[in-house]
Amino acid sequence: MNIEEVTGAGTKKEFIRFPWKVYQGNPNWVPPLESEVQFLLSEKKNPFFHHAEAACFLARRNGETVGRIAAIIDRNHIKFHKEQAGFFGFFECLPDCAIARELLSAAARWLKERDIAIMRGPMNPSTNDECGFLLEGFDSPPMILMPYSPEYYLDYMERCGMTKAKDLFAYICTIKDVAAGRRLERLASAVKARIPGLTVRPANMKRFQQEVEAVKVIYNSAWSHNWGFVPMTDAETGSMAKKLKPLIASELMIMAEVDGKPAAFFVALPDYNQVLGKINGRLGPVALLKFLWYSRKISDIRVMAMGVTEEYRKKGIEGLLYLESFKAAAKKGYERAEMSWILEDNVLVQRGCELMGGKLYKKYRIYEQKIS
């Protein structure tokens, strides 16, 4: 077996297409858009690489590609957390622990050469993107921007000396039950009475850039103490907003203001993975028609981000945001909502999910290892 660094367009394409070999015949894997993976890995296009660097590797045996991995250094993470941590990501391999061992060793060597002391992952390429290996919930597809991976990866990580860094949770609930729940209605009335000047409204897509700016300020403040968090730069926020804008339903992006000043936000997306599963990674003319057709049949949403300014935290605004968005989702005919991801030790948010009838149905694990 030999490990080859990806340097040209040919090997980059091979790196991107390799998962199709791993997941062939697996009905729960959702093929990503090739163009999106190309963007994530592009040092020229992805603003993440304004403060980061990465190297991609392929594992070959007897001329056959059998695995892939990326080694990643995020200088903003090092600066924000004050730790010499690097990451591995985009990990895939065929069922053979020897492949995993060689790939992880290659990533660790690359990181060590750059004075990194600990390797953590998978991050694809950061916590603002897909991250973690699936730990529980292999019997159903992931929702949008959530990963899927074979169960044998967990065994391989442990056999290669990786240990648990953090688990991430995903909850699922029935939207109509939440929208019709009297408990949230009572909570919403109490919150409005408690905070004079509080207004809740759908996002104004004609002022989308201003809405995004408010979300960025709240997000970077509200999440600053969370494990693995790194503040998003203006360029990263703008890039993500541009990418997600065509997918956002305004009634599922809720803004809360107090006397006209931003206080909280809530963003849910229709589960476009239900569409991506039909087009096999390439958005050509026929696939575009399929995309438009199946987009009308999406049944689920994913609650992917929520933030409340420090001044208004623990005052019930979160429940009000859920109520308003789920009412809108019910009117649109959506059936289920996934709330993800949630840190395993964020008990407050977990209890909120359970209050709405949410059931813990998927877990993900991030691993780490000291580099010797």
Side-chain angles (χ1 to χ4, degrees), residues 245-257:
K245 185 178 181 181
L247 308 180
I248 289 175
S250 61
E251 61 270 20
L252 299 180
M253 180 175 175
I254 308 294
M255 308 298 293
E257 298 168 334

Side-chain angles (χ1 to χ4, degrees), residues 24 37 39 98-99 120 139 182 198-199 230 339 344 362:
Q24 185 176 12
V37 183
F39 170 82
I99 302 170
R120 193 173 290 143
D139 58 345
R182 293 184 178 180
L198 173 65
T199 57
V230 177
M339 295 157 280
E344 63 176 325
K362 288 184 185 288

